[in-house]
């Protein structure tokens, strides 16, 4: 399936790129995105190539491509064979942090301190696209009577 994504390809330049949708793993869901928010801080950094100097060396240069969009809502359109908590057709809000679940911080339940994390919309394709693959644990089901615009704000 072809996926159109907004990708920040170099400083101050974004392009719409087409690619194949990521492979669906055993414990993953494929989400057709219906709404994504824009983060003033993160998206500005993605566009300008800024680096969060509080986390890394001030002399580090931003790497491209960079992916945007991490607060989102949509509909599950496919599930991996190990998925048990969501089903095709569910409306879900996407939680972007993907901790490694192996390091000492993760083992203590301190997922936000994980040093080996992935992050939807930063390290990997985000929600500025048609479809995104995410772990089932990151797909938070919600009542479909809630508008996508509101559900995309669950994460912030």
């Amino acid at each position: 399936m072809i996926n159109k994504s907004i990708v920040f390809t170099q400083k101050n330049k974004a392009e719409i790129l087409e690619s194949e949708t990521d492979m669906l793993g055993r414990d993953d869901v494929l989400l057709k995105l219906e709404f994504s928010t824009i983060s003033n801080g993160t998206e500005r950094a993605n566009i300008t190539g800024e680096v969060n100097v509080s986390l890394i060396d001030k002399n580090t240069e931003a790497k491209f491509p960079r992916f945007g969009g991490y607060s989102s809502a949509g509909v599950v359109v496919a599930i991996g064979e190990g998925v048990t908590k969501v089903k095709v057709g569910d409306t879900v809000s996407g939680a972007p942090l993907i901790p490694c679940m192996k390091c000492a911080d993760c083992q203590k339940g301190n997922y936000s301190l994980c040093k080996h994390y992935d992050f939807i919309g930063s390290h990997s394709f985000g929600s500025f696209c048609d479809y995104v693959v995410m772990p089932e644990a990151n797909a938070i089901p919600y009542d479909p009577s809630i508008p996508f615009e509101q559900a995309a704000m669950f994460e912030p």
Side-chain angles (χ1 to χ4, degrees):
M1 171 182 328
I2 296 297
N3 195 12
K4 290 183 183 176
S5 306
I6 296 174
V7 179
F8 303 100
T9 54
Q10 61 187 0
K11 186 175 181 178
N12 298 318
K13 184 175 181 182
E15 296 180 40
I16 296 177
L17 301 179
E18 290 186 358
S19 63
E20 284 291 324
T21 304
D22 289 342
M23 294 294 295
L24 191 63
R26 174 178 168 72
D27 299 318
D28 291 338
V29 301
L30 177 63
L31 184 63
K32 181 182 184 314
L33 294 158
E34 296 292 340
F35 196 86
S36 182
T37 65
I38 295 175
S39 165
N40 181 42
T42 302
E43 303 322 333
R44 184 185 65 228
N46 278 333
I47 292 167
T48 64
E50 294 173 10
V51 176
N52 186 341
V53 295
S54 66
L55 298 177
I56 51 182
D57 183 338
K58 291 180 184 180
N59 296 318
T60 301
E61 290 188 33
K63 293 182 174 116
F64 291 93
R66 294 173 78 142
F67 310 99
Y70 59 85
S71 301
S72 62
V75 178
V76 175
V77 295
I79 59 173
E81 61 188 41
V83 172
T84 60
K85 295 181 179 137
V86 298
K87 63 185 180 315
V88 171
D90 282 354
T91 52
V92 300
S93 180
L97 178 66
I98 305 173
C100 76
M101 304 306 284
K102 297 175 185 167
C103 70
D105 286 318
C106 284
Q107 292 299 307
K108 293 176 191 170
N110 297 323
Y111 308 119
S112 64
L113 300 178
C114 178
K115 309 273 186 307
H116 311 286
Y117 68 94
D118 192 0
F119 201 87
I120 297 167
S122 171
H123 298 110
S124 58
F125 280 105
S127 57
F128 291 168
C129 56
D130 297 325
Y131 300 91
V132 69
V133 172
M134 66 179 62
E136 176 185 25
N138 292 67
I140 313 303
Y142 67 88
D143 186 305
S145 68
I146 299 170
F148 292 115
E149 297 83 356
Q150 290 178 358
M153 294 301 292
F154 289 171
E155 188 275 332

